[in-house]
Amino acid sequence: MGEPILQVRGLKKHFPVGGGMLRAVDDLSFSIRQGETLGLVGESGCGKSTAGRTIIRLYEATGGEVLFEGRNVHRLKDKELMHFRRSMQMVFQDPYASLNPRMTVGSIVAEGLDLHGLAKGRQRKERVGELLHAVGLNEEHAGRFPHEFSGGQRQRIGIARALAIEPSFIIADEPISALDVSVQAQVVNLLMKLQRERGLTYLFIAHDLAMVKHISDRIGVMYLGKLVELADADRLYKEPLHPYTQSLLSAIPIPDPAVERQRERIILQGDVPSPLSPPSGCPFRTRCPKAMPQCAETMPPFKEIEPNHYAACHLY
Ligand code: SF4
């Protein structure tokens, strides 16, 4: 693994709602090294997708900074901004909604090439053919329309579109959540193959830990706009420290019936509180089975508990 290609420092994205402020992303910090995959996980509404969209500058940040290749993304202009737009691409969750139904697959995949003036005529056609091949489709598919494809194939088209301008970094925002379970592994395997072949770096966003297990080098767990735990993937699965991570892991079924019968399930009470009025102290305290009086008073700092294993919890 190389140097950090992305550094997120104290990132905030707040939205004014009614008379209040929705703190969708609140003081998020992490970095991703060149060639690494960081899985970002949390229940719906935890801010993970907003974080992805703020990092790629679909949203302006409310505070903090995002450094990509050492440059502050939210201050880029002109040529530097153009370079950034080419270097970082996004694959979206819903392959049904994210592909324009009136465009052919060839035009969809070539969007970036056209926008950046990278290929025309025969060269453009060849490039589209190569990209479709790279994602397991073929050049004859270029003349068809999205509705002629299955969900998994549409996500492959979305991936080909993201790859067209040769980015070095891809934010995959729940790329497999809308797909059948039988197809999910195929898309994950494709992303891993493309990463090996092209040296890509990924931020892989998902709502459950089972989905990021195979692809992630490290995993960050988010709750109410904040990271509550961050560790190497193996470590996080074997020794989760934060009670929220422990509960998420306990919800994943284990294929061995003997182990499955014996292990303890942690059922979380209630829903995620509204980010419009987060609880005092630890944001997880209203659902935490281990909450103590101290948890209502002060926010636990996000700190390194063991080497390269961070968590925000008063138990440590
Ligand atoms: Fe639970 Fe307290 Fe730890 Fe929060 S700080 S996760 S409420 S034990």
Side-chain angles (χ1 to χ4, degrees):
M1 291 294 171
E3 293 293 304
I5 186 170
L6 181 82
Q7 290 169 280
V8 176
R9 295 181 183 160
L11 187 66
K12 292 185 178 152
K13 179 61 192 173
H14 300 169
F15 298 97
V17 176
M21 194 58 83
L22 191 150
R23 297 167 191 273
V25 176
D26 208 18
D27 202 8
L28 196 64
S29 298
F30 60 85
S31 59
I32 306 183
R33 294 184 297 269
Q34 173 91 49
E36 186 184 31
T37 298
L38 182 83
L40 196 58
V41 175
E43 288 164 286
S44 105
C46 74
K48 56 194 189 302
S49 290
T50 304
R53 283 160 193 254
T54 312
I55 289 168
I56 203 169
R57 211 175 139 174
L58 283 176
Y59 297 150
E60 291 301 320
T62 308
E65 54 185 22
V66 177
L67 303 179
F68 182 70
E69 295 174 337
R71 293 189 185 81
N72 188 333
V73 163
H74 291 266
R75 295 222 188 108
L76 297 177
K77 289 198 180 110
D78 308 329
K79 269 192 178 167
E80 284 190 330
L81 180 58
M82 196 65 125
H83 172 74
F84 171 69
R85 296 257 180 250
R86 282 187 58 180
S87 303
M88 193 182 280
Q89 286 288 300
M90 197 148 184
V91 173
F92 295 94
Q93 172 176 3
D94 188 347
Y96 294 88
S98 61
L99 305 179
N100 185 335
R102 287 182 294 276
M103 285 170 74
T104 62
V105 167
S107 320
I108 291 170
V109 171
E111 258 176 339
L113 298 175
D114 298 341
L115 186 69
H116 293 273
L118 295 176
K120 284 197 178 132
R122 190 195 173 100
Q123 207 192 359
R124 178 180 180 275
K125 194 173 168 208
E126 282 173 5
R127 183 89 181 102
V128 168
E130 277 164 25
L131 287 159
L132 289 173
H133 262 287
V135 298
L137 299 171
N138 62 58
E139 54 268 27
E140 282 103 64
H141 291 135
R144 300 205 203 154
F145 288 89
H147 73 264
E148 299 175 58
F149 294 87
S150 67
Q153 287 173 319
R154 288 186 206 207
Q155 197 52 294
R156 289 172 189 268
I157 296 165
I159 294 167
R161 172 176 61 184
L163 290 178
I165 52 176
E166 300 188 359
S168 53
F169 194 107
I170 289 185
I171 297 183
D173 185 10
E174 301 225 34
I176 58 171
S177 304
L179 304 177
D180 287 348
V181 175
S182 57
V183 182
Q184 289 180 346
Q186 293 170 15
V187 172
V188 166
N189 288 340
L190 170 65
L191 286 167
M192 291 172 78
K193 172 176 120 21
L194 293 168
Q195 181 173 46
R196 282 193 302 275
E197 290 170 357
R198 294 161 192 252
L200 294 163
T201 307
Y202 292 147
L203 175 63
F204 190 101
I205 298 170
H207 63 254
D208 109 26
L209 276 165
M211 286 183 186
V212 295
K213 185 168 185 182
H214 295 294
I215 197 167
S216 302
D217 298 297
R218 284 184 305 142
I219 295 176
V221 179
M222 276 185 81
Y223 190 81
L224 274 187
K226 296 178 188 300
L227 266 185
V228 295
E229 186 157 5
L230 177 68
D232 285 348
D234 289 348
R235 184 86 174 235
L236 192 99
Y237 283 94
K238 277 195 202 119
E239 284 175 58
L241 295 176
H242 197 281
Y244 180 54
T245 314
Q246 291 167 355
S247 70
L248 289 180
L249 277 172
S250 86
I252 302 175
I254 293 176
D256 181 337
V259 181
E260 179 68 27
R261 265 197 303 278
Q262 278 179 13
R263 79 198 179 108
E264 190 195 349
R265 273 277 167 90
I266 306 167
I267 312 285
L268 288 182
Q269 303 299 320
D271 294 323
V272 183
S274 164
L276 270 170
S277 52
S280 62
C282 171
F284 186 54
R285 73 168 170 86
T286 52
R287 301 168 80 199
C288 180
K290 297 181 180 167
M292 313 168 275
Q294 178 192 3
C295 304
E297 283 157 24
T298 49
M299 171 99 71
F302 187 66
K303 61 181 184 190
E304 195 169 19
I305 312 286
E306 291 163 6
N308 298 318
H309 194 159
Y310 298 79
C313 176
H314 288 310
L315 291 171
Y316 306 98

